[in-house]
Amino acid sequence: MQLTKFAHSCLRVEHDGGVLVVDPGVFSDPTALDGADAVLITHEHPDHVDVAALTRQLDRWPFRIYGPASLAGALGDVAEALEPISPGQAFTAAGVAVRAYGGRHAVIHPDIPVVDNLGYLLNDVVYHPGDALVAPEDAPVDTLFAPIHAPWSKFSEVLDFIRAVAPRRAFALHDGLLNDNGLAVLNRQYAALSGTDYQRLEPGSRLDV
């Protein structure tokens, strides 16, 4: 698989001629969707799903969207492209074997409703947890994309999550709300304390996995 990291939480995966895009949200470049054969959405928040961009792409060519059933309400007119996925489900999207984990978004605040969230393990190698710190318990993870900063997160909890997953390497995810100062501080701390090879990829960086 060849992976391209787009801004914030978006990944583009190319494998055996297929293109799979994960969480193309409003903070990421919509060109991530160019030529997509399938799209995985972890949850309905707009930083993870840009409905307008999906609509434009679906007007050009058909593809399937995979995500929680509750995502249908956010997708509006393109909800017919949704294939609902449940926690624990295994399926294939754009030629990539996928397993879904979790079920619920991390709590932001008691006054803010908790939505459904799925993490995705791709080809038993790459794990994208969305907005929850749920570690796969039935499979090792080689490459983890860890949500390093969010309104719902705490540094110590994210650090413990990375340690619990114990990947061979970890990369920063969900970093679109940070300025350069915040990125420098968090990258330094995660690199020093995570117990794995931690890095942050600049948007547009490509990686063989």
Side-chain angles (χ1 to χ4, degrees):
M1 292 189 297
Q2 188 169 68
L3 184 150
T4 304
K5 172 68 172 67
F6 282 78
H8 198 53
S9 284
C10 181
L11 305 178
R12 177 184 169 98
V13 178
E14 298 173 50
H15 178 65
D16 287 347
V19 176
L20 175 65
V21 181
V22 187
D23 275 6
V26 296
F27 295 161
S28 59
D29 189 331
T31 61
L33 287 166
D34 288 352
D37 297 298
V39 173
L40 303 181
I41 304 296
T42 60
H43 65 284
E44 64 194 64
H45 291 162
D47 58 325
H48 295 259
V49 54
D50 184 342
V51 176
L54 287 175
T55 301
R56 288 193 298 271
Q57 292 298 323
L58 282 165
D59 284 343
R60 298 172 185 170
W61 60 81
F63 55 83
R64 299 300 292 168
I65 300 170
Y66 299 85
S70 58
L71 182 63
L75 290 177
D77 292 342
V78 298
E80 62 184 19
L82 177 66
E83 183 76 29
I85 301 299
S86 301
Q89 187 172 342
F91 58 100
T92 300
V96 176
V98 183
R99 280 191 277 178
Y101 293 87
R104 300 292 279 169
H105 192 287
V107 174
I108 302 171
H109 186 275
D111 291 347
I112 298 176
V114 177
V115 301
D116 292 338
N117 178 90
L118 293 174
Y120 298 113
L121 181 63
L122 311 179
N123 273 352
D124 289 328
V125 176
V126 175
Y127 185 52
H128 184 309
D131 279 11
L133 303 179
V134 176
E137 296 182 350
D138 59 350
V141 173
D142 177 85
T143 301
L144 170 67
F145 280 83
I148 65 169
H149 175 266
W152 50 266
S153 71
K154 183 178 178 181
F155 171 79
S156 62
E157 294 174 349
V158 177
L159 183 66
D160 286 345
F161 166 70
I162 298 173
R163 290 176 173 179
V165 175
R168 179 175 64 89
R169 57 185 178 178
F171 296 97
L173 192 73
H174 210 283
D175 54 5
L177 300 179
L178 289 166
N179 62 18
D180 289 342
N181 292 330
L183 285 170
V185 170
L186 287 181
N187 287 335
R188 183 169 62 249
Q189 295 294 338
Y190 285 120
L193 299 172
S194 64
T196 190
D197 178 15
Y198 167 87
Q199 301 177 52
R200 177 180 179 268
L201 299 174
E202 290 292 333
S205 298
R206 297 173 72 86
L207 180 72
D208 288 322
V209 293

